Amino acid sequence: MDLEKHPAAPAAPAAPAAPAPPAAPAPGGLRASDADRDRIARILADAVAEGRLTPDEHSERLDSLYARKTVAELDALVQDLPAPGAAPASAAAAHAPAYAGTGSGVRPGPSETVVAVCSSSARKGRWRPPAHTRAVSVMGDISIDLTQAVFEQQVTEIEVACVLGNVEVLVPENITLRGHGSGVLGNFEVSGSGTDSVDPNAPVVIIRGFALLGNIEARPKLGSRLVDLARKLRKDFR
């Protein structure tokens, strides 16, 4: 037995710790993008159209929208407002009577949102409008041209919120155009509203809107007509 004492071997030096990765910023601390600001502008436009904000409150919040830097700062502007599409059931029920007497209810289908914030946006040419289109203009111009559109449903609804902007809707002469809306220091005008097409199977376009210091105008385009419209629609709804 070896009773001689041996010195303990020195411990191996510890490996240096790897540097910790930088912490990801909290979601609310992210820098805001143009899409984030457009989202907030849409919520504010909806709120003033629904009467949740006064024109002065809307103007005050809109003025500060582009001065704020982070997503959290933007969300603070709308923390007391519902998200887009979260309208109460009473508001949805208020729309129901408008479809009475059209000969057919609105068939379920896709929807589309057209937004112009300090810019312009257009839908025109040979296109297929959905059953429901939402147009939001904030200091922008929107043009929706249905004169060459292919209608896949009998009732097409366009809901417009316009603040310091301009929205124009053009339709063929031989369809039914109806309007329900108002303006505050602005203009809401639907030419020929309430005049039904000779053909009971013709498409029905309903314009709903609110203009604050802006202009909403819907009218038939002279000389523009849908061709073979009765035969096509009878086949679709058979």
Side-chain angles (χ1 to χ4, degrees), residues 10-218:
L30 292 174
R31 300 280 291 192
S33 66
D34 289 340
D36 293 324
R37 292 186 174 88
D38 289 349
R39 173 177 60 86
I40 299 301
R42 286 198 300 271
I43 296 175
L44 293 175
D46 288 348
V48 72
E50 294 167 359
R52 299 178 189 276
L53 292 178
T54 67
D56 288 342
E57 289 171 333
H58 175 268
S59 178
E60 180 181 348
R61 297 193 190 194
L62 194 63
D63 286 345
S64 65
L65 175 63
Y66 293 93
R68 303 200 174 196
K69 303 299 184 183
T70 67
V71 173
E73 291 173 340
L74 293 182
D75 287 341
L77 289 173
V78 295
Q79 63 182 358
D80 57 343
L81 301 174
S90 59
H95 290 182
Y99 300 112
T102 61
S104 174
V106 178
R107 297 189 296 176
S111 61
E112 180 181 9
T113 300
V114 183
V115 179
V117 178
C118 298
S119 61
S120 62
S121 185
R123 296 291 185 273
K124 59 183 179 180
R126 193 77 171 169
W127 65 297
R128 299 176 186 273
H132 182 268
T133 297
R134 189 186 194 98
V136 179
S137 171
V138 180
M139 295 186 288
D141 294 319
I142 294 178
S143 174
I144 299 177
D145 188 340
L146 299 169
T147 57
Q148 299 181 48
V150 178
F151 292 90
E152 296 186 326
Q153 62 280 327
Q154 187 172 12
V155 178
T156 298
E157 182 176 2
I158 301 176
E159 184 179 352
V160 183
C162 180
V163 179
L164 293 169
N166 181 68
V167 178
E168 181 183 49
V169 181
L170 298 176
V171 302
E173 285 186 303
N174 58 335
I175 72 166
T176 297
L177 178 63
R178 296 177 181 171
H180 308 276
S182 60
V184 175
L185 299 177
N187 176 59
F188 177 88
E189 180 179 356
V190 178
S191 302
S193 177
T195 303
D196 289 357
S197 169
V198 175
D199 191 330
N201 292 310
V204 177
V205 176
I206 302 173
I207 311 295
R208 302 181 187 279
F210 174 81
L212 172 64
L213 296 170
N215 177 63
I216 300 173
E217 181 180 2

